Amino acid sequence: MAKRSTTGGPRSRRITEADLQRRREYLSRAERERMWQRRALITIGVIVGVSVLILAIALVYENLIRPREAVSIVEDQEITTADFEKRVRFVRWETGQQIRELYALTGDINTVSQYASQLTNPLSIGSQVLDEMEEEILIEKEAAARGITIDEAAVDKRVDEYIARGAGLTLPGAPTATPTTVPTVTPTPLVSPTPTVEPSPTAVPATATPAEGEAAAEADATEEPADTDATPDAEPTVTASPTATATLPPADIQATLDRAAEQYYDAAQNGADVDRETIRQVFYYDALRTALMDAMSADAPTEELQVRVRHILIAFDPDNTGQGLPPTDEQRAAAEEKANAVMAALQNGEPFADLARAESDDTGSAQNGGELNWQSPDGFVPAFADTVKTAELGEIVGPVETEYGYHIIQVLGREVRPLTDAQINQRRSQTFSDWLAERKAAANIERSDNWLDRIPDEPTLNQLLGDILVVQ
């Protein structure tokens, strides 16, 4: 017989899930509010935590990862986003300063507005800057291979030269020019970030003259006085009047340059948020480029064979003489017939100059009686060049066919002549440009897919020139 309980109380019962459900149903209102408050606090805490984590990740990316990401890789050498953005900001600021100088010289708000518009197109400036930074890597590699180095003293000198030109001063130890001319300000579609501008070939409008771009530039440099009116340039060039060199002791000049350089660094820092290192890097690469250019042209000749010729051009298409497009059969036949008629007239004693003025489709030389002045035959198109190298002096040769039409040619002189400084500089620049173009074409250069997104648009046009221009 089972033993009966003697406690006198109810027997304990196991709590079931149904009991718990009933208890939850009978919670007090206060208990329910506390429960929801706890849940809300937990939810808010989770949201805040996730938000802080996202913000922290964004800050780490923006300040640590993104600046180190490459916008371009040139033969395994990276151009980082940070370096690219700093250079673009500096170029934008320097562009604004040059436009200010233009305004100070001319006071022409329309011209200033025209050239200030480039600051509204970040892609244009950004593309040029990245091109130059990629080239700088290739230049530095070639300089290293040749043992060319640029030290801090050379960078300081480059800075001093730039500051001295702007202040109209002569560097201590440099030849004194009397008077010293304030640098010419020539508006260009895009102002170069390089403060010191190396001589470069001037673009020549296409003409029917058989000389190519280089020969045309040489002709300008060696042109003899002619009885013709000069044609004004299509694009205005503003040149400051010469100012006398300040007569100061060398120590005072250097102190002035040092102060001006510090002001320049500070202005760039305040105006574009770029540090001294970024600015000096621009001067460094400019000095390196010049040193490499000098090395490449060290053995360049200072004289060359030149010819003085005159010609009469009978163009395939007189309305488009500079294009050199393939002629139709009818155009070739008509041009050849006319060229033969001109040749016959010359053989019958007609003056060459008179026929050139009347019949030549090369209007640039026709007004000079067909004369092209002294220049290298290598600057002409091949068929024309071959003829002027071998023709007897004074002999009238032709018709000679080129892509422009038929030429009747007379060589007036042929001799080895010394090159002018302008010609030497032109060849120096051309040699370097040809090497750089070839080197860049052969280089392994990979730009990131998002490099366009890394182009800054600050400092803005309003920040740079808002006190001069009414910025919409």
Side-chain angles (χ1 to χ4, degrees):
M1 181 175 178
K3 186 176 181 179
R4 301 182 65 178
S5 174
T6 59
T7 59
R11 296 178 63 182
S12 60
R13 186 171 62 87
R14 187 171 57 185
I15 298 175
T16 66
E17 182 61 30
D19 295 331
L20 294 175
Q21 180 63 30
R22 282 193 296 272
R23 288 185 181 183
R24 284 194 290 268
E25 292 175 354
Y26 288 103
L27 286 176
S28 68
R29 179 177 180 180
E31 289 174 328
R32 288 197 301 271
E33 288 180 352
R34 284 195 296 271
M35 180 183 68
W36 284 111
Q37 286 174 355
R38 286 194 299 271
R39 291 179 178 178
L41 289 174
I42 292 172
T43 302
I44 292 172
V46 171
I47 293 174
V48 170
V50 171
S51 300
V52 170
L53 179 60
I54 293 173
L55 180 60
I57 293 173
L59 289 174
V60 169
Y61 174 75
E62 191 67 24
N63 294 290
L64 296 178
I65 299 176
R66 182 180 181 277
R68 294 186 174 92
E69 289 180 339
V71 293
S72 181
I73 302 176
V74 182
E75 298 184 345
D76 298 327
Q77 187 167 336
E78 295 184 349
I79 299 173
T80 66
T81 295
D83 290 340
F84 174 61
E85 289 179 339
K86 286 188 289 187
R87 179 73 73 87
V88 172
R89 290 200 303 271
F90 172 69
V91 171
R92 291 182 64 87
W93 176 81
E94 179 69 18
T95 300
Q97 300 310 300
Q98 293 185 22
I99 293 173
R100 280 186 175 277
E101 292 175 6
L102 175 64
Y103 179 68
L105 288 171
T106 67
D108 186 350
I109 195 67
N110 292 326
T111 300
V112 169
S113 298
Q114 176 185 352
Y115 292 107
S117 63
Q118 63 193 282
L119 293 169
T120 63
N121 184 9
L123 174 59
S124 179
I125 293 180
S127 179
Q128 177 180 330
V129 167
L130 192 52
D131 282 341
E132 291 185 352
M133 294 183 77
E134 290 167 346
E135 292 171 358
E136 288 166 358
I137 291 176
L138 300 176
I139 289 170
E140 194 167 37
K141 287 178 178 291
E142 180 66 21
R146 291 171 176 256
I148 299 172
T149 59
I150 298 297
D151 57 17
E152 286 299 307
V155 176
D156 289 338
K157 182 180 179 182
R158 210 67 171 180
V159 174
D160 286 347
E161 289 171 347
Y162 175 62
I163 299 298
R165 282 197 301 272
L169 296 174
T170 300
L171 289 177
T176 302
T178 307
T180 296
T181 304
V182 176
T184 299
V185 177
T186 303
T188 58
L190 184 63
V191 181
S192 169
T194 306
T196 49
V197 181
E198 290 296 327
S200 58
T202 301
V204 179
T207 85
T209 302
E212 295 175 346
E214 180 181 347
E218 293 170 4
D220 290 343
T222 59
E223 185 174 358
E224 298 175 357
D227 187 19
T228 57
D229 295 329
T231 302
D233 293 336
E235 186 173 326
T237 299
V238 181
T239 306
S241 301
T243 57
T245 301
T247 305
L248 292 173
D252 290 348
I253 293 177
Q254 190 60 57
T256 300
L257 295 175
D258 291 342
R259 287 194 299 271
E262 290 301 322
Q263 292 171 358
Y264 182 75
Y265 293 136
D266 291 342
Q269 176 71 59
N270 295 331
D273 190 26
V274 292
D275 53 28
R276 178 188 299 250
E277 180 182 355
T278 297
I279 300 170
R280 289 181 65 83
Q281 188 180 54
V282 174
F283 286 97
Y284 163 79
Y285 280 117
D286 182 54
L288 189 65
R289 181 184 294 257
T290 301
L292 182 56
M293 192 182 302
D294 290 341
M296 288 182 170
S297 59
D299 298 327
T302 58
E303 60 183 20
E304 69 176 4
L305 175 67
Q306 295 187 7
V307 293
R308 177 172 170 244
V309 302
R310 58 182 179 179
H311 80 131
I312 298 171
L313 169 66
I314 306 303
F316 293 131
D317 184 357
D319 295 328
N320 296 285
T321 56
Q323 295 184 6
L325 298 176
T328 64
D329 292 340
E330 291 78 7
Q331 287 176 327
R332 174 178 275 107
E336 185 177 12
E337 180 180 358
K338 184 177 179 180
N340 287 329
V342 172
M343 188 68 177
L346 289 169
Q347 292 171 343
N348 289 330
E350 290 288 335
F352 194 106
D354 291 346
L355 282 172
R357 293 187 183 97
E359 303 294 345
S360 180
D361 291 318
D362 178 9
T363 56
S365 66
Q367 59 185 345
N368 295 328
E371 289 199 33
L372 299 174
N373 296 305
W374 288 100
Q375 56 191 283
S376 169
D378 294 333
F380 296 117
V381 293
F384 196 102
D386 292 342
T387 300
V388 301
K389 288 178 182 177
T390 59
E392 295 290 335
L393 294 182
E395 179 185 5
I396 297 177
V397 182
V400 176
E401 183 178 355
T402 72
E403 56 259 48
Y404 298 105
Y406 289 97
H407 304 263
I408 298 169
I409 303 168
Q410 185 179 35
V411 179
L412 303 177
R414 186 188 297 114
E415 62 187 52
V416 175
R417 294 168 62 91
L419 297 175
T420 65
D421 289 343
Q423 289 172 326
I424 291 173
N425 285 333
Q426 194 276 334
R427 281 163 174 71
R428 175 174 172 268
S429 296
Q430 190 62 51
T431 298
F432 181 81
S433 297
D434 291 345
W435 168 82
L436 185 57
E438 183 178 348
R439 180 69 177 87
K440 194 171 183 180
N444 181 20
I445 301 176
E446 297 180 6
R447 292 189 178 183
S448 66
D449 294 335
N450 61 351
W451 76 270
L452 293 171
D453 299 330
R454 304 296 170 92
I455 302 175
D457 57 3
E458 294 181 341
T460 64
L461 177 61
N462 187 57
Q463 291 170 328
L464 293 168
L465 300 169
D467 57 326
I468 297 176
L469 302 173
V470 177
V471 181
Q472 301 295 331

